[in-house]
Amino acid sequence: MTTTLQPQQVLEATTPAPAPRGTRKKKKNKGGGYETRSLVSPLALRSWRGKVTYWTVLVVVVIGFTLAFVFPLYWMVTGALKSPEEIAQIPPSFFPKHFDWHVYADAWNQLQLGVFLKNTALYAGGAWLFTLAVDVTAAYALSKLRPFFGKLILALMLATLMIPPMVLLLPTYLVAKDVPLFHVSLLNTPWAIWLPAAANGFFIFLLKRFFDSIPRELLEAAEIDGASPMRILWSIVLPVSRPILGVVSILSVVTVWKDFVWPLLVLPETDKMSISVGIASLSAQMPQNVLIASLVIASLPTILVFFVFQRSIMAGLTAGSLKG
């Protein structure tokens, strides 16, 4: 038996269903795939006016953001080369009249920057070691060992990030002044910098997110071979976690290097001061150009660390964010 379709039924069968409301319109390209319409169409970009507008906006935005970030560094470097009279000049000059490079040697000798840099390197290096030892093991336990109340513990750690640091300053200082149970003072010792920097909820969260992306089958194969949890952490998890370990290492070192308020409280002795506190304590006795030169020298280590490890920073921050 043959069924004859009415014209209205044929029209409904051949008409595609309307797209859901709120979706973007897509158009097939030559390769058979679909392309999404953007704010500026490809046809407009191929025109002469579209190309000029596109490149003008791109160059203006890139140059503007570059100047916004680079100009303070330029002003600091050139300010050290100016005389105190040029620094106080209004309106200020963009270029020094005479390039006096001896001001950096004066800053190094007069402000004892060698002692302060050595102290800061000691504090930053110890904080880095304690941060990796505490945060890596905590993140590994929360991610792979999954203890009881693990989610609650992680939530409490993340809740500490919502508390302003200045609120925790006084309780932390009182603990460092008289450690409970042991009744010892950590003031004027590197432990006052190392121990508070070791436990960081943000670093634990970053490491846990990365450890979650490691396949469970890889760890189960090691368990079948008789590897202990610490052996799995040392031989399997850490070698594949180099990007995120690099990010945590750089952030921990830079955080200790640029910190000012906490070292000012717990390291009052001059020979124990960090670079930021030492420069601030001697700033009233030095000319402005010598002070600015000392700031340039203090900034160089962190700037060099960023330029050397900038790829590791970007790779580590995005690693573990997607699974697949």
Side-chain angles (χ1 to χ4, degrees):
M1 178 180 291
T2 305
T3 302
T4 304
L5 298 177
Q6 299 298 326
Q8 182 65 23
Q9 296 175 339
V10 174
L11 181 61
E12 292 177 356
T14 56
T15 302
R21 182 175 297 179
T23 59
R24 292 184 177 182
K25 293 183 179 181
K26 294 184 178 181
K27 181 181 178 181
K28 269 192 174 182
N29 54 25
K30 295 181 180 180
Y34 287 90
E35 59 182 11
T36 303
R37 290 291 301 272
S38 58
L39 183 62
V40 181
S41 65
L43 181 61
L45 289 178
R46 283 195 290 265
S47 64
W48 179 83
R49 181 177 298 178
K51 291 181 179 179
V52 172
T53 304
Y54 171 79
W55 285 106
T56 302
V57 172
L58 179 63
V59 170
V60 169
V61 170
V62 171
I63 293 178
F65 276 95
T66 302
L67 291 178
F69 288 98
V70 175
F71 183 76
L73 298 177
Y74 165 79
W75 194 254
M76 183 171 60
V77 173
T78 56
L81 302 176
K82 298 177 182 178
S83 62
E85 292 76 15
E86 288 184 81
I87 296 176
Q89 176 183 342
I90 298 178
S93 59
F94 287 92
F95 302 97
K97 296 180 180 179
H98 303 285
F99 291 87
D100 185 11
W101 296 99
H102 295 286
V103 67
Y104 289 101
D106 297 338
W108 180 272
N109 297 324
Q110 296 180 19
L111 275 80
Q112 304 177 5
L113 294 183
V115 177
F116 296 147
L117 286 174
K118 182 182 68 175
N119 294 339
T120 310
L122 175 64
Y123 303 146
W128 168 66
L129 292 177
F130 278 95
T131 298
L132 290 185
V134 174
D135 295 351
V136 169
T137 52
Y140 175 70
L142 294 174
S143 176
K144 298 305 180 183
L145 302 183
R146 298 180 181 178
F148 290 106
F149 306 108
K151 294 183 179 180
L152 177 61
I153 295 173
L154 179 63
L156 293 176
M157 289 182 181
L158 296 179
T160 59
L161 302 180
M162 304 297 108
I163 304 175
M166 298 304 296
V167 176
L168 300 175
L169 197 61
L170 179 58
T172 309
Y173 175 78
L174 295 177
V175 171
K177 185 178 180 180
D178 185 11
V179 179
L181 300 180
F182 298 97
H183 299 290
V184 295
S185 177
L186 302 180
L187 301 183
N188 287 314
T189 64
W191 296 100
I193 303 294
W194 294 345
L195 295 182
N200 190 299
F202 178 66
F203 292 161
I204 294 175
F205 176 72
L206 283 181
L207 292 166
K208 181 185 179 300
R209 290 291 299 169
F210 188 91
F211 293 163
D212 289 342
S213 64
I214 299 177
R216 183 67 186 177
E217 294 79 7
L218 184 63
L219 306 185
E220 291 176 352
E223 291 178 358
I224 294 174
D225 292 339
S228 63
M230 290 303 298
R231 180 69 177 178
I232 294 174
L233 173 62
W234 182 262
S235 302
I236 297 178
V237 176
L238 293 183
V240 301
S241 304
R242 290 178 181 176
I244 194 63
L245 292 178
V247 171
V248 171
S249 301
I250 294 169
L251 293 180
S252 63
V253 170
V254 172
T255 301
V256 175
W257 193 278
K258 69 178 183 179
D259 195 9
F260 176 78
V261 178
W262 182 246
L264 178 64
L265 291 177
V266 299
L267 301 171
E269 294 184 3
T270 304
D271 57 343
K272 302 291 182 62
M273 289 181 177
S274 62
I275 184 69
S276 57
V277 178
I279 292 176
S281 62
L282 300 176
S283 60
Q285 309 170 10
M286 299 297 164
Q288 289 294 320
N289 57 344
V290 176
L291 178 61
I292 297 176
S294 65
L295 297 177
V296 174
I297 297 175
S299 304
L300 284 179
T302 54
I303 296 175
L304 293 177
V305 166
F306 171 77
F307 279 113
V308 172
F309 298 103
Q310 57 178 331
R311 291 187 178 181
S312 300
I313 295 175
M314 300 306 299
L317 290 177
T318 56
S321 59
L322 297 176
K323 292 184 180 180

